[in-house]
Structure formats: structure tokens, C-alpha cells
Amino acid sequence: MVMTVEPTAVRRGRAVGALALGGFAIGTTEFATMGLLPQMAETFGLSIPAAGHAISLYALGVVVGAPLIAGLGAKLPRKGLLIALTIALAVGNGLSAVAPNGTLLMVSRFVAGLPHGAYFGIAAVVAAALVPAERRGTAVARIMVGLTVANLVGVPVVTAAGQRIGWRVAYLAVAVVALATAVALARWLPRVPAARDAGVAAELRAFRRPQVWFALVTGTVGFGGMFAVYSYISPLTTEVGGLPAGAVPWVLAVFGLGMTLGATFGGRFVDRSVMGTVFGGLVAVTLVLVGFGLTAASPAFAITWVFLLGFTSQVLASALQLRLMDASPDAPSLASSSNHSALNMANGAGAWLGGVAIAAGWGYTSTAWVGVALSLAGLAVAGLSVAVERRAAVRA
């Protein structure tokens, strides 16, 4: 298991802040592409769906890179590996900014996605090592604050700048922030050694544990409920809620505010009980989606549910992150990094199933009921994981 280090309170705060800054860069580059697709498509003479492959290839980079980098880098010092990942993020976004054609843009987006999952997974392990055991949940949640603030501030700002100046400036800005993160990590992050018995084989042993798979499936299925709605938040806002198109960025900002507060305060719930927060988060997400499905036509109610969806989903994400670390104490980096692969698969699955419901003629609000079904399925998987764990304990 990764050793616990004991930096001063001031340096600990700066170190966590530096880790969160990397999360801000990643969150900005992941979601800004969605708002800049028309400009990118126009530059390269592509259709919007074809330009949308840039989003899919970024997600594929996350899914591939998380386990690959965490496994191959298992023996490397955590500080050096995190700095290398932020530099790789800067390179991927720099290449995106200067891509001369659509093909190289797609390749660069795949490259930009590779460090995503490994960065968050390893950063979570390092953050947990910086604090006492009873505050690990809060530390992990604070790493995710960078991602949530990106949705609240970074994405709207670079999207607006990209629309006025050119979409390339958005990726250049992310590259600059990524390099600033590397400098901050080099200056403030203490040296955290890898696990004593670290190695590719040791990390892969994590996947022999049933609880690791239960946690990953819980995230893939349960989190898909949130993405089923979030993927179609624009038509839900305008077609169902009756608000003008100009209101969409504000609704997205409300979602980002909910995520930020969820990451800020959700760690307290995780500190008290990891699995209790997993169950509570899934139940809360389910209830929010039910409320959304019933009252989405009312702008006031819909905006309230959007805020609560951001809050509850982020609390759930922090709990799942720590659950994976606990399920594989001797190989936490790979298990923790794989959480982001699972969440990106949830993104694809939720968006696809929501689209199937819309295409079937059931309307945009049907995505909420798709989300309810997915959240309940995730709750069932979490319940099964506890039952299996208790049975194993009785046998032992």
C-alpha cells in the first residue's frame, strides 16, 4: 500500500490545490469540445457528427490510458509520474490546437485523453496518503473540485473565447494550465513512494478481487443514469422547459455549481462511511431523476433538479473512488484509475440508451426514466457486492 507522508498543513493544502489544478485542466479539455464542435467542424469541412468523433476518441483515450499507464507506471515515484502525466496532457492539447487537418485532430484528442484516468486515480491515492486516515474522503473529494470548477467556470469561459477568437485558443489555454500544474506539483507535492511491492503483476492482481469488479460495474451502470439526462440537457432545457437557447450555458453552470458543492462537502459523508455514501448517493440520484422526469416542464423545478443531480452525482463519484482504493489496498493506483474508465463507459452507455428512448418517440423526458432504471440497477449491484462481501467474511 502507498505509504502515508506527513507534510505540514500549509504544504498539504498547496499540494492538494496543485492536484486539483490538474483536475481543472482535464475537466476543461474534456467538456469544452462539446461546445466548440460547430467551429471545429467548419474549420475542417466536417459534419457535426463526424467532428463529434473527437469526443469519442478522447473518451477512448481515457478508457485505454487509465489501466495501461497505472499498471506500467506502478513502480515509478508518484510525484514524478503525476508531473509526467500533466506534461502529456499539455502535449495532447497543444497538438489539438495546431492540428492541420481533421485526422490529426482526432489523433491528438486520443492522446489528450490518455493521461485523464491515470492522473485522477493516482492523484486520489496521493491525496489520501497526505492526510490522516479519517480524512481520506475529504482529500479525495477535494481533488475532484478541480474537475467540477472546470464545469462551472473553465468550460463556459474557454467556450466563449473559442467562439469569438477561434476554437484553437481553448486547447492552448488548457495546455498552459497543464504546464502550470506541472510546475506547481514539482514545487509543492511531497515525494510519495510507490507501494513497496508495486509492479504490473501486483497491480493486475487487483482485478482478481470481486469487490473491484463490483465497484466498477456499480459506477458504469449507476453513473449512466446521470449521463442519460446530462447528455441531452440542451433540448431538455429548450424543448421541454421552454427556455431560450441562451439559457443553456446558465443551466450547465448550475450543474457545475452542484458538482462543485458536492465535491466540497461530499467528502464528509465518505469519511463517515464509504459504502453508506455509495448507497445514499445512488438513492439520491434516483430520487432526483424521478423528480426531473415528473416536473421537467417547469423551469424552476428543472433547474433545481439539475443542481441536485450535479451535487448527488459528485458525492457518489467520490465514494466510488475511495471504494475502489479500499477494495485493492495493495494495488490502489490501477483500481482507482479504472474508476474513470468506468465513468467514461457510463457516459457512452447513458447517452446511447437515452438516445434510443428519444428515437423510439418517447420524448426527451424519457431520458430521466432511463436514468432511474440505470441508477436502480447500480443500486442492485452495490447491494450484491455487500452480500458477497459479508458471505466471504462469514466463511473466513
Side-chain angles (χ1 to χ4, degrees), residues 58 209 237 279 298 327:
Y58 180 92
R209 296 181 173 88
T237 299
F279 281 111
S298 167

Side-chain angles (χ1 to χ4, degrees), residues 3-321:
M3 296 175 60
T4 300
V5 296
E6 297 183 357
T8 63
V10 173
R11 188 170 184 183
R12 184 188 304 130
R14 290 174 176 173
V16 173
L19 292 169
L21 182 62
F24 177 84
I26 291 174
T28 302
T29 192
E30 179 180 15
F31 294 105
T33 304
M34 301 172 185
L36 295 172
L37 275 183
Q39 290 78 18
M40 295 164 63
E42 182 179 357
T43 297
F44 299 119
L46 301 173
S47 66
I48 295 293
H53 292 162
I55 298 173
S56 302
L57 283 168
Y58 180 92
L60 180 61
V62 178
V63 173
V64 171
L68 184 65
I69 295 173
L72 294 178
K75 292 186 177 181
L76 298 177
R78 306 291 87 181
K79 178 175 180 177
L81 182 55
L82 285 169
I83 292 173
L85 288 171
T86 57
I87 293 174
L89 179 66
V91 170
N93 281 278
L95 292 174
S96 300
V98 299
N101 55 59
T103 300
L104 290 180
L105 174 68
M106 302 303 167
V107 172
S108 65
R109 294 315 296 155
F110 175 81
V111 172
L114 289 173
H116 177 135
Y119 178 87
F120 276 120
I122 296 168
V125 174
V126 170
L130 295 175
V131 299
E134 65 274 11
R135 290 188 57 81
R136 293 182 309 146
T138 297
V140 171
R142 285 180 178 172
I143 299 303
M144 301 304 294
V145 167
L147 177 64
T148 62
V149 172
N151 281 274
L152 179 62
V153 179
V155 174
V157 169
V158 300
T159 299
Q163 290 172 344
R164 288 168 173 77
I165 304 173
W167 60 268
R168 297 180 188 273
V169 72
Y171 295 127
L172 283 175
V174 172
V176 171
V177 175
L179 290 175
T181 302
V183 173
L185 291 173
R187 182 173 182 179
W188 291 321
L189 188 66
R191 294 186 179 276
V192 179
R196 294 185 180 88
D197 300 325
V200 176
E203 291 285 342
L204 288 175
R205 280 199 295 271
F207 293 107
R208 297 180 183 177
R209 296 181 173 88
Q211 291 304 321
V212 170
W213 286 105
F214 276 124
L216 289 173
V217 175
T218 299
T220 300
V221 178
F223 229 81
M226 184 275 286
F227 282 114
V229 170
Y230 184 73
S231 300
Y232 302 97
I233 196 65
S234 181
L236 280 166
T237 299
T238 56
E239 301 293 329
V240 178
L243 294 174
V248 174
W250 295 103
V251 173
L252 295 176
V254 168
F255 181 82
L257 177 62
M259 289 181 69
T260 302
L261 294 178
T264 302
F265 299 107
R268 300 178 184 179
F269 300 112
V270 183
D271 286 338
R272 295 174 184 173
S273 173
V274 176
M275 280 308 295
T277 307
V278 171
F279 281 111
L282 286 167
V283 170
V285 168
T286 301
L287 294 176
V288 168
L289 290 171
V290 168
F292 194 94
L294 293 174
T295 62
S298 167
F301 277 114
I303 291 173
T304 300
W305 295 126
V306 166
F307 170 81
L308 291 174
L309 185 61
F311 183 93
T312 55
S313 62
Q314 196 55 46
V315 172
L316 175 60
S318 298
L320 287 170
Q321 188 80 57

